[in-house]
Amino acid sequence: VRHVREAVRFLDGMRVLEGAGVTTYLELGPGGVLSAMGQECVTGEGAAFVPVLRSGRSEAETAVASLAQAHLRGLDVNWQAFYAGSGARRVELPTYAFQRQRYWLQLTGAARNGSGHDVDARFWDAVEREDLESLAGTLDVDDESAWGLVLPALSAWRRGLRTQSEVDRRRYRVSWKPLTDVASGHRLSGSWLVVTPAAAGVDDAAVVGALAGRGAEVRRVVVEAGADRGAVAGLLAGVESVAGVVSLLALDEAAGVVATAVLVQALGDAGVGAPLWCLTRGAVSVGRSDRLVSAVQAQTWGLGRVAALELPERWGGLVDLPEVWDERAMGRLVGVLAGGAAGEDQVAVRSSGVFGRRLVRAAGGNTGSWEPFGTVLVTGGTGALGQRVARWLAGAGAERLVLTSRRGPEAPGAAELAAELSELGVEVSVVACDAADRDALRSLLAAEAETLTAVVHTAGVLDDGVLDALTAERFETVLRAKVDSARNLHELTVELGIELSAFVLFSSMSGMTGAAGQANYAAANAHLDALAEQRRAAGLAATSLAWGPWAEGGMAADEALDARMRREGLPPMAPETAMAVLRQTIASPADAALLVADVDWERFGPAFTVVRPSALFAELVETRPAGPAGPTEAVGGSPVERFAGLGAPELERELLGLVRAQVAAVLGHDGSEAVGADRAFKELGFDSLTAVELRNRLGAATGVTLPATL
């Protein structure tokens, strides 16, 4: 009663404990409220507040973590009580050097004893198999007829629930978060380059004026259309001590994304290490009322996401500007360039504020499935993904399939595929038609216009390579297959008045998040995602699926690439699951563009951000740390600090150990022991992409800026 009616005196209590020498406080309660309050009460340094439970987090993990924190601070933990009932016992440590590595999965106690979740698993397995005998025995029900009505429905419900869970777990969408800290009062300092295309209609006066009016010394660099990297590097010759580079090259849509890629290369050739910021106008949409204007400029966003991964030390970010470049918009642009949006490198400036790009989970729940009918056109229909789509369409109700590819009936396996689909009762035409050839595609669409109800664009070409090695021709090869074909399909179906129930674009995760070594492919797929948003805003059917890797085929069907993706947290998806996602997503009115991937965030998140932090995944619960950083993370300082004062032999040994550890991480080895110090890098399995990753990792580990040619 006194506690309720009188002052609690929490502060006084904490100060008494502090005076008695208490430095570790363990909170027993439903959350961490008292720990937060306690930190405001103590006056000394080094006190730790450890809540045993945290709201919204696993109770078991939080409790064990609290014991671990207490143990690390020197408190005795009663491990006998902790392990009571588990069968654990104390053992003596071996008296010899003992180290081994196990590769076998360990059975849990529940699995060995047939208890807990294992019992549930066996029961539902029997339900899904509709095993009457097993269920009758398990539940001690002799009358099997009692199951006759409910078991098929229960089995179907269970399978549907499992499938829906698998679908929901793999779907993500882009969201835009308001950034409240970006004000228009920021100022710049130093020399800034503004790189402008020579094309008519691109006016950089507002940007130049905004930078110059807020403290920057501005130098304009005008780039002619078609200029190669040597010519652009020549324009940059003699540039020194630059604080930042702002590019407007993306605004010249005739030059396309290639001009920006050339600038990135030329900056490296000229030795300009200042951060590069690329500006676009209307290349993204931050909400329903904000129309995406330019799918072409969206290509630069795909390129930029890759540049951030390959060239983290000299990449600034992407900023999309509104149609009207008024004083408020320019002030916010300068705020972003000046660091007002700390940690943000994918930003949209609008009249309503500044927004940061985020990846979030797409809304779950079964919204129904799209059912194909009439004639469906599949580009790339004889490829690995196109064949899977064709089989699904044939089994789902399509009456006629038109499968196109550049080789048509001459493509490997085309005749066998047509025969297989025909046996399913579907009329099939395999046609040699390059969808990037506008005239050829118009003729095909006109012939099918009366019955055509859906288009699925799966065609694509890979030509991977690090950004510094890509040429205009390598961009053109990839853009032609993806972008030109998609644009033709969109414009010609509208021109011919063909009403489609589905317009499906097979995009890639690389365009939505970035993937080192795929700048041209990311640019092409970013265009597809933007095109889908444009069509949907215009009231037309459109769905773009940015796929992660597929198992058993697709463009990730390479053993080395498969192993690398698994190691980095992107295990290939089962095709059946991908088809389930496809079926539901086409029917969903919510999002025009979705990322669909099986992501192991514990692996993917750290691997993606190892050399450059990213706010893109900040809203995903799976990527947030489970608790405050442990005390061991800061031990030892940076390598540069640890190496200071070492003699030559010790320094060489420590540096070699550092390099071997980073090599092992890049190549996926469990430890540096697998990396022979006397073996050549190419002999170890390095290529241009892994070399870039190693350079970036070494730079991040040492804090030393390393040359791009290393």
Side-chain angles (χ1 to χ4, degrees):
V1 174
R2 286 184 57 208
H3 186 74
V4 173
R5 297 181 63 181
E6 299 180 10
V8 177
R9 300 184 65 189
F10 182 76
L11 171 64
D12 294 340
M14 295 303 301
R15 293 284 170 81
V16 168
L17 291 173
E18 184 180 22
V22 175
T23 57
T24 303
Y25 301 82
L26 194 70
E27 178 177 352
L28 305 181
V33 176
L34 298 183
S35 293
M37 292 170 56
Q39 294 180 55
E40 301 296 322
C41 296
V42 296
T43 59
E45 299 290 335
F49 291 83
V50 184
V52 173
L53 295 177
R54 298 287 296 275
S55 176
R57 299 184 184 177
S58 164
E59 294 186 359
E61 290 181 9
T62 306
V64 173
S66 68
L67 285 178
Q69 286 182 269
H71 181 59
L72 285 173
R73 293 184 63 81
L75 276 69
D76 291 330
V77 177
N78 186 344
W79 296 113
Q80 288 292 129
F82 179 81
Y83 285 109
S86 67
R89 59 187 177 84
R90 287 187 175 273
V91 296
E92 294 296 324
L93 289 175
T95 56
Y96 56 92
F98 182 85
Q99 184 178 16
R100 66 174 182 166
Q101 187 171 8
R102 291 186 62 85
Y103 294 96
W104 300 103
L105 296 175
Q106 301 296 304
L107 288 176
T108 64
R112 285 194 299 270
N113 301 328
S115 59
H117 294 295
D118 188 52
V119 174
D120 290 344
R122 288 206 309 270
F123 170 78
W124 286 112
D125 179 62
V127 168
E128 290 188 39
R129 289 185 289 106
E130 299 187 28
D131 187 347
L132 285 172
E133 182 178 351
S134 175
L135 286 169
T138 300
L139 300 177
D140 195 22
V141 177
D142 295 331
D143 185 7
E144 293 186 3
S145 63
W147 288 94
L149 294 176
V150 71
L151 184 56
L154 188 60
S155 175
W157 173 81
R158 174 67 175 182
R159 287 194 300 271
L161 195 64
R162 183 192 297 274
T163 299
Q164 187 62 48
S165 176
E166 292 294 302
V167 167
D168 291 343
R169 189 170 66 84
R170 289 168 170 81
R171 300 196 308 176
Y172 304 86
R173 64 178 179 86
V174 170
S175 177
W176 291 88
K177 179 181 179 180
L179 304 177
T180 57
D181 296 334
V182 184
S184 58
H186 288 83
R187 293 188 63 79
L188 299 171
S189 62
S191 176
W192 283 71
L193 297 183
V194 175
V195 184
T196 305
V202 178
D203 185 4
D204 64 2
V207 173
V208 171
L211 271 62
R214 290 169 174 81
E217 179 185 337
V218 180
R219 171 181 168 181
R220 294 176 70 248
V221 177
V222 180
V223 177
E224 296 293 334
D228 61 18
R229 66 189 291 176
V232 178
L235 296 174
L236 300 171
V239 174
E240 297 179 358
S241 303
V242 177
V245 182
V246 178
S247 169
L248 281 72
L249 296 181
L251 301 182
D252 178 12
E253 297 189 1
V257 71
V258 174
T260 301
V262 168
L263 174 62
V264 173
Q265 296 168 342
L267 287 168
D269 295 343
V272 179
L276 168 64
W277 292 88
C278 292
L279 308 187
T280 58
R281 174 186 279 173
V284 301
S285 167
V286 301
R288 291 185 181 276
S289 60
D290 183 45
R291 295 285 290 268
L292 192 153
V293 178
S294 176
V296 173
Q297 293 184 45
Q299 295 176 20
T300 297
W301 279 67
L303 171 76
R305 290 163 195 147
V306 175
L309 298 174
E310 291 190 24
L311 305 166
E313 72 284 353
R314 52 190 178 94
W315 179 253
L318 297 153
V319 182
D320 191 68
L321 296 173
E323 282 293 290
V324 179
W325 291 8
D326 57 17
E327 182 65 22
R328 176 182 295 180
M330 290 298 97
R332 287 170 175 161
L333 168 62
V334 172
V336 173
L337 299 179
E344 302 285 346
D345 61 3
Q346 298 184 52
V347 177
V349 173
R350 295 293 185 266
S351 60
S352 56
V354 180
F355 299 83
R357 189 169 178 267
R358 296 291 187 270
L359 195 69
V360 298
R361 287 199 172 274
N366 191 343
T367 57
S369 297
W370 173 75
E371 301 295 338
F373 62 97
T375 299
V376 181
L377 169 66
V378 182
T379 68
T382 59
L385 298 185
Q387 290 188 33
R388 290 198 174 276
V389 171
R391 292 188 182 99
W392 166 64
L393 291 168
E399 300 160 20
R400 172 173 162 75
L401 295 177
V402 178
L403 311 180
T404 70
S405 64
R406 283 175 293 180
R407 297 177 62 182
E410 302 301 319
E416 293 80 359
L417 175 63
E420 176 189 344
L421 296 173
S422 296
E423 290 180 1
L424 297 175
V426 180
E427 183 182 348
V428 182
S429 293
V430 181
V431 182
C433 176
D434 183 356
D437 184 334
R438 193 177 182 88
D439 292 336
L441 183 62
R442 178 186 282 107
S443 298
L444 176 65
L445 291 173
E448 304 290 343
E450 288 189 10
T451 60
L452 185 64
T453 62
V455 170
V456 184
H457 178 38
T458 73
V461 173
L462 282 174
D463 189 4
D464 291 353
V466 293
L467 179 52
D468 191 60
L470 294 180
T471 62
E473 293 73 23
R474 296 179 71 177
F475 269 94
E476 172 59 27
T477 298
V478 174
L479 292 172
R480 174 181 170 82
K482 279 277 187 181
V483 174
D484 293 356
S485 298
R487 183 190 298 116
N488 288 343
L489 288 166
H490 159 58
E491 293 177 352
L492 291 175
T493 52
V494 172
E495 177 185 309
L496 295 170
I498 301 174
E499 294 188 11
L500 299 174
S501 67
F503 185 90
V504 184
L505 302 171
F506 270 37
S507 176
S508 167
M509 184 176 180
S510 64
M512 201 167 276
T513 65
Q518 291 192 316
N520 49 3
Y521 196 59
N525 287 293
H527 185 119
L528 263 58
D529 295 338
L531 175 60
E533 289 193 47
Q534 282 187 309
R535 281 183 58 95
R536 188 74 72 90
L540 301 172
T543 303
S544 183
L545 296 170
W547 295 107
W550 283 36
E552 305 171 28
M555 293 192 172
D558 172 85
E559 288 188 8
L561 183 58
D562 181 279
R564 179 181 177 84
M565 286 182 167
R566 289 182 182 276
R567 190 167 69 239
E568 295 183 353
L570 283 176
M573 281 182 297
E576 297 77 15
T577 302
M579 287 294 100
V581 174
L582 175 63
R583 189 167 57 247
Q584 285 194 21
T585 305
I586 296 174
S588 172
D591 300 291
L594 289 178
L595 186 152
V596 184
D598 187 3
V599 185
D600 178 354
W601 288 106
E602 289 187 2
R603 287 178 176 267
F604 182 79
F608 190 91
T609 57
V610 67
V611 296
R612 180 185 175 92
S614 175
L616 178 62
F617 309 127
E619 299 300 307
L620 290 170
V621 174
E622 300 94 327
T623 63
R624 297 174 187 167
T632 60
E633 292 184 8
V635 174
S638 72
V640 175
E641 294 171 345
R642 296 203 309 271
F643 296 165
L646 293 180
E650 294 84 1
L651 179 59
E652 183 174 344
R653 184 175 62 251
E654 291 293 332
L655 285 173
L656 179 59
L658 172 68
V659 173
R660 289 176 69 196
Q662 296 301 329
V663 168
V666 170
L667 297 180
H669 296 305
D670 289 334
S672 58
E673 297 80 8
V675 180
D678 57 350
R679 298 181 65 190
F681 282 96
K682 292 188 71 173
E683 188 180 323
L684 287 167
F686 271 84
D687 56 23
S688 59
L689 182 56
T690 47
V692 168
E693 185 178 348
L694 175 62
R695 183 201 74 209
N696 289 341
R697 279 179 170 270
L698 288 172
T702 61
V704 177
T705 300
L706 301 172
T709 54
L710 181 67

